[in-house]
Coordinates of all heavy atoms in Angstrom, one line a residue:
T280 N -179.0 48.6 -164.8 CA -178.1 47.7 -164.0 C -178.8 46.9 -163.0 O -178.4 45.8 -162.7 CB -177.1 48.6 -163.3 OG1 -176.3 49.3 -164.3 CG2 -176.1 47.8 -162.4
Y281 N -179.9 47.5 -162.4 CA -180.5 46.8 -161.3 C -181.7 45.9 -161.6 O -182.2 45.2 -160.7 CB -181.1 47.9 -160.4 CG -180.0 48.9 -159.8 CD1 -179.8 50.1 -160.5 CD2 -179.3 48.5 -158.7 CE1 -178.8 50.9 -160.0 CE2 -178.3 49.4 -158.2 CZ -178.1 50.6 -158.9 OH -177.1 51.4 -158.4
G282 N -182.1 45.8 -162.9 CA -183.3 45.0 -163.2 C -183.1 43.6 -162.9 O -182.2 42.9 -163.5
A283 N -184.0 43.0 -162.1 CA -183.9 41.6 -161.8 C -184.5 40.7 -162.9 O -184.2 39.6 -163.1 CB -184.5 41.3 -160.4
G284 N -185.6 41.3 -163.5 CA -186.3 40.5 -164.6 C -186.8 39.2 -164.1 O -186.9 38.3 -164.9
G285 N -187.3 39.1 -162.9 CA -187.8 37.8 -162.4 C -186.8 36.8 -161.8 O -187.2 35.8 -161.4
L286 N -185.5 37.2 -161.9 CA -184.5 36.3 -161.4 C -184.3 36.6 -159.9 O -184.8 37.6 -159.4 CB -183.2 36.5 -162.1 CG -183.1 36.3 -163.6 CD1 -181.8 36.7 -164.2 CD2 -183.4 34.8 -163.9
L287 N -183.5 35.8 -159.3 CA -183.0 36.2 -157.9 C -182.0 37.3 -158.1 O -181.4 37.5 -159.1 CB -182.3 35.0 -157.3 CG -183.1 33.7 -157.0 CD1 -182.3 32.7 -156.2 CD2 -184.4 34.0 -156.3
D288 N -181.9 38.1 -157.0 CA -181.0 39.2 -157.0 C -179.6 38.8 -157.1 O -179.2 37.7 -156.7 CB -181.2 40.1 -155.7 CG -180.8 41.5 -155.9 OD1 -180.4 41.9 -157.0 OD2 -180.9 42.2 -154.9
Y289 N -178.7 39.7 -157.6 CA -177.3 39.4 -157.7 C -176.7 39.7 -156.3 O -177.2 40.4 -155.5 CB -176.7 40.3 -158.8 CG -177.1 41.8 -158.7 CD1 -176.5 42.6 -157.7 CD2 -178.0 42.3 -159.6 CE1 -176.9 43.9 -157.6 CE2 -178.4 43.6 -159.5 CZ -177.9 44.4 -158.5 OH -178.3 45.7 -158.4
P290 N -175.4 39.2 -156.1 CA -174.7 39.5 -154.8 C -174.4 41.0 -154.7 O -174.2 41.7 -155.7 CB -173.4 38.7 -154.9 CG -173.7 37.7 -156.0 CD -174.6 38.3 -157.0
H291 N -174.4 41.4 -153.4 CA -174.1 42.8 -153.1 C -172.8 42.9 -152.2 O -172.6 42.0 -151.4 CB -175.3 43.5 -152.4 CG -176.5 43.6 -153.2 ND1 -176.8 44.7 -154.0 CD2 -177.5 42.7 -153.4 CE1 -177.9 44.5 -154.6 NE2 -178.4 43.3 -154.3
Y292 N -172.1 44.0 -152.4 CA -170.9 44.2 -151.6 C -170.8 45.7 -151.2 O -171.4 46.5 -151.8 CB -169.6 43.9 -152.5 CG -169.5 42.5 -153.0 CD1 -170.1 42.1 -154.1 CD2 -168.7 41.6 -152.2 CE1 -170.0 40.8 -154.6 CE2 -168.6 40.3 -152.7 CZ -169.2 39.9 -153.9 OH -169.1 38.6 -154.3
T293 N -170.2 45.9 -150.0 CA -170.0 47.3 -149.6 C -168.6 47.4 -149.0 O -167.8 46.5 -149.0 CB -171.1 47.6 -148.5 OG1 -171.0 49.0 -148.2 CG2 -170.9 46.9 -147.2
R294 N -168.2 48.6 -148.5 CA -166.9 48.8 -148.0 C -166.6 48.1 -146.7 O -167.5 47.9 -146.0 CB -166.7 50.3 -147.9 CG -166.7 51.0 -149.3 CD -166.9 52.5 -149.1 NE -167.0 53.2 -150.4 CZ -168.0 53.1 -151.3 NH1 -169.1 52.4 -151.0 NH2 -167.9 53.7 -152.5
P295 N -165.4 47.6 -146.5 CA -164.2 47.9 -147.3 C -164.1 47.0 -148.5 O -164.8 46.0 -148.6 CB -163.0 47.5 -146.3 CG -163.6 46.5 -145.5 CD -165.1 46.9 -145.3
A296 N -163.3 47.4 -149.5 CA -163.1 46.6 -150.7 C -162.5 45.2 -150.5 O -162.7 44.3 -151.3 CB -162.3 47.4 -151.8
E297 N -161.8 45.1 -149.4 CA -161.2 43.8 -149.0 C -161.5 43.5 -147.6 O -161.4 44.3 -146.7 CB -159.7 43.8 -149.2 CG -159.0 42.5 -148.9 CD -157.5 42.5 -149.2 OE1 -157.1 43.1 -150.2 OE2 -156.8 41.9 -148.4
F298 N -162.0 42.3 -147.4 CA -162.3 41.9 -146.0 C -161.8 40.4 -145.8 O -162.2 39.5 -146.5 CB -163.9 41.9 -145.8 CG -164.3 41.4 -144.5 CD1 -164.1 42.1 -143.3 CD2 -165.0 40.2 -144.4 CE1 -164.5 41.7 -142.1 CE2 -165.5 39.8 -143.1 CZ -165.2 40.5 -142.0
M299 N -161.0 40.3 -144.8 CA -160.4 39.0 -144.4 C -159.8 38.3 -145.6 O -159.9 37.1 -145.8 CB -161.5 38.1 -143.8 CG -162.0 38.6 -142.4 SD -163.2 37.5 -141.6 CE -162.1 36.2 -141.2
G300 N -159.1 39.1 -146.4 CA -158.4 38.6 -147.6 C -159.2 38.3 -148.8 O -158.7 37.9 -149.8
V301 N -160.5 38.7 -148.7 CA -161.4 38.5 -149.9 C -161.8 39.8 -150.4 O -162.3 40.7 -149.7 CB -162.7 37.7 -149.5 CG1 -163.6 37.5 -150.7 CG2 -162.4 36.4 -148.8
S302 N -161.5 40.1 -151.7 CA -161.7 41.3 -152.4 C -163.1 41.3 -153.1 O -163.6 40.2 -153.5 CB -160.6 41.7 -153.4 OG -159.4 41.8 -152.7
I303 N -163.6 42.5 -153.4 CA -164.8 42.6 -154.2 C -164.5 42.2 -155.6 O -163.3 42.3 -156.0 CB -165.4 44.0 -154.1 CG1 -164.5 45.0 -154.8 CG2 -165.8 44.4 -152.7 CD1 -165.1 46.4 -155.0
P304 N -165.5 41.7 -156.4 CA -165.2 41.4 -157.8 C -164.6 42.6 -158.6 O -165.1 43.7 -158.4 CB -166.6 41.0 -158.3 CG -167.3 40.5 -157.1 CD -166.8 41.4 -156.0
E305 N -163.7 42.3 -159.5 CA -163.0 43.4 -160.2 C -164.0 44.2 -161.0 O -163.8 45.4 -161.1 CB -162.0 42.7 -161.1 CG -161.2 43.7 -161.9 CD -160.1 43.1 -162.8 OE1 -159.9 41.8 -162.6 OE2 -159.5 43.8 -163.6
A306 N -165.1 43.6 -161.5 CA -166.0 44.3 -162.4 C -166.7 45.5 -161.6 O -167.1 46.5 -162.2 CB -167.1 43.4 -162.9
L307 N -166.8 45.4 -160.3 CA -167.5 46.4 -159.5 C -166.6 47.6 -159.1 O -167.1 48.6 -158.6 CB -168.1 45.8 -158.2 CG -169.1 44.6 -158.4 CD1 -169.6 44.2 -157.1 CD2 -170.2 45.1 -159.3
S308 N -165.3 47.4 -159.3 CA -164.4 48.5 -158.9 C -163.9 49.4 -160.0 O -163.3 50.4 -159.7 CB -163.1 47.8 -158.2 OG -162.5 47.0 -159.2
G309 N -164.2 49.1 -161.2 CA -163.7 49.9 -162.3 C -164.6 51.1 -162.8 O -164.1 52.0 -163.5

């Protein structure tokens, strides 16, 4: 899951799952 393979890193999120009306991507919550 974590391999960057020479690319830039993907975005990261932490708790809470919703902040100022913006939720984490659905793929990360399932």
